[in-house]
Amino acid sequence: MPAQHILPRWRGFNLGDIHMTKHYKAFREDDFRMIADLGFNFVRIPMSYHVWSTPQAPRVIDEARFEQMDRAVELGGKHGLHVCLNLHRGPGYCCGGDPEPFSLWKDAEALDVFCHHWETIAKRYRDISPDRLSINPINEPPVPSDWEMTRAEHAHVIRTVTARIRAVDPKRLIIADGMWYGRGEPSPELADLGVAQSTRGYMPMGLTHYQASWWREGDMNFPVPVWPGAMEADHMPWTRETLEAHYGQWADLAAQGVGVHCGECGCYIHTPHDVFLRWFEDVLDILTGHNIGYALWTFRGDFGILDSNRQDVDYEDWHGHKLDRKLLDLLQKY
């Protein structure tokens, strides 16, 4: 039996930058249809609570603004895709961007409001099968620290929101992101909770986020990536063996009966395409060996297979889009 045997090996995409600000865009049915037609079965929907609420009055929820969330759930069902709803920005925490006025990890009020939002969403979709819909409560918790979030505080948040969701929707599948912004360590202390956990395919960051403008300036001073040999933030070079050791801790968690999925993965546009593909094949091969599925960030745009704006790709014209055929072929291989 493979290490990961609880979840299906979902393969698919994040539909990012659509539902993450109050000026959200409408989901395109074509995206869901094309993802399914290409042989994939999963979409993750990153969201911001600012779409339907405000930091000034976070308990007030305008459910009319759930219209596009409803559409994503409906289109996923129509096209046979599992839909994972995620708060990229929740009351009290966001990985990057403007800070929240209170702390999800340290303020009881923030946690209560956070749970209120998920209770509202869980009630809305409680008649939908967990085979079709899952909840990923908060994107990419930070590096554990006394000043921002300890491991105990993280565990308290996940246990509390899980209990609140299950009180209104007992069968809902819940997926908790890993430590260190999702890409680092799992949380074996939550193995008894009956929730799955999500890793990332972004290591080493000196390859996947090379020249990414949203990185802190000091973290961007890496040489042009090579593989093997690209560097992580500590400037230590990584190899296939380093990747295997890194994902080994997630395989160990899966062997305890915890479902594991890779909720985001991919590479920014400035890494040479051939380097990206060599690295990514190692990542996908390792994940597949543990029966861990993945979701590329994203479907369209800089990390995607469509219209990715790379300067070193010979794009194929595909349904009016620029298709990165080599990247698609690699994803379909795994």
Side-chain angles (χ1 to χ4, degrees):
M1 178 182 294
Q4 199 292 120
H5 57 275
I6 301 300
L7 298 180
R9 197 175 74 86
W10 289 315
R11 301 159 55 251
F13 302 86
N14 285 261
L15 295 180
D17 196 29
I18 292 175
H19 208 55
M20 291 169 62
T21 74
K22 63 182 179 180
H23 305 297
Y24 66 87
K25 306 171 188 174
F27 287 102
R28 305 179 188 183
E29 182 167 1
D30 272 355
D31 286 355
F32 291 79
R33 177 185 56 77
M34 289 188 292
I35 288 169
D37 287 349
L38 290 169
F40 300 95
N41 60 3
F42 178 91
V43 289
R44 180 170 177 258
I45 308 297
M47 306 181 296
S48 168
Y49 82 101
H50 290 184
V51 168
W52 54 80
S53 186
T54 67
Q56 294 75 34
R59 287 191 178 276
V60 178
I61 296 175
D62 179 1
E63 293 195 41
R65 299 281 289 176
F66 286 168
E67 176 187 13
Q68 286 303 315
M69 194 193 317
D70 290 345
R71 179 168 170 79
V73 173
E74 176 188 356
L75 290 174
K78 179 178 179 180
H79 294 282
L81 304 175
H82 181 93
V83 174
C84 180
L85 299 177
N86 161 256
L87 277 180
H88 245 55
R89 178 180 289 275
Y93 180 72
C94 181
C95 173
D98 296 334
E100 286 289 301
F102 46 12
S103 169
L104 173 61
W105 316 111
K106 296 187 179 293
D107 298 338
E109 174 68 8
L111 176 55
D112 188 56
V113 172
F114 178 74
C115 292
H116 169 58
H117 283 254
W118 275 121
E119 283 173 326
T120 303
I121 294 169
K123 287 177 184 177
R124 192 176 187 89
Y125 302 124
R126 60 186 166 191
D127 293 332
I128 295 177
S129 166
D131 293 335
R132 285 185 49 202
L133 183 72
S134 58
I135 286 174
N136 179 206
I138 192 68
N139 183 64
E140 298 181 356
V143 179
S145 66
D146 289 338
W147 68 271
E148 185 171 14
M149 180 205 76
T150 66
R151 293 190 77 97
E153 288 165 343
H154 172 262
H156 175 64
V157 166
I158 299 303
R159 288 183 181 277
T160 302
V161 72
T162 296
R164 295 271 291 266
I165 290 169
R166 286 175 173 168
V168 299
D169 189 2
K171 296 182 179 179
R172 183 61 53 210
L173 173 61
I174 298 169
I175 305 173
D177 277 5
M179 300 286 99
W180 295 74
Y181 306 106
R183 67 183 189 271
E185 302 170 350
S187 299
E189 63 271 22
L190 297 176
D192 66 311
L193 188 57
V195 303
Q197 296 190 34
S198 180
T199 184
R200 294 291 182 266
Y202 289 144
M203 304 288 274
M205 295 286 279
L207 185 152
T208 62
H209 287 61
Y210 175 63
Q211 293 189 352
S213 60
W214 60 92
W215 254 29
R216 295 185 305 274
E217 185 175 353
D219 287 342
M220 292 191 293
N221 296 324
F222 289 101
V224 176
V226 296
W227 187 254
M231 297 178 184
E232 184 40 44
D234 59 6
H235 288 264
M236 293 296 293
W238 279 50
T239 64
R240 164 83 186 220
E241 290 71 27
T242 316
L243 287 172
E244 288 174 344
H246 173 71
Y247 290 113
Q249 62 188 331
W250 291 91
D252 291 344
L253 179 74
Q256 298 179 48
V258 177
V260 175
H261 187 252
C262 181
E264 292 183 23
C265 56
C267 185
Y268 193 48
I269 60 176
H270 295 306
T271 296
H273 196 241
D274 62 325
V275 173
F276 162 39
L277 294 180
R278 288 200 306 274
W279 162 82
F280 201 31
E281 178 146 29
D282 278 345
V283 171
L284 293 175
D285 187 52
I286 293 168
L287 291 175
T288 301
H290 297 309
N291 198 39
I292 296 172
Y294 62 84
L296 189 74
W297 183 278
T298 54
F299 185 53
R300 289 180 285 108
D302 288 346
F303 280 76
I305 63 169
L306 299 181
D307 307 326
S308 63
N309 302 307
R310 292 182 178 273
Q311 300 301 307
D312 58 349
V313 172
D314 185 13
Y315 288 106
E316 176 182 324
D317 185 14
W318 190 75
H319 297 288
H321 295 278
K322 294 180 177 180
L323 171 65
D324 183 343
R325 174 62 69 176
K326 289 183 178 179
L327 177 53
L328 173 59
D329 287 347
L330 179 60
L331 293 170
Q332 290 178 325
K333 180 179 176 180
Y334 291 95

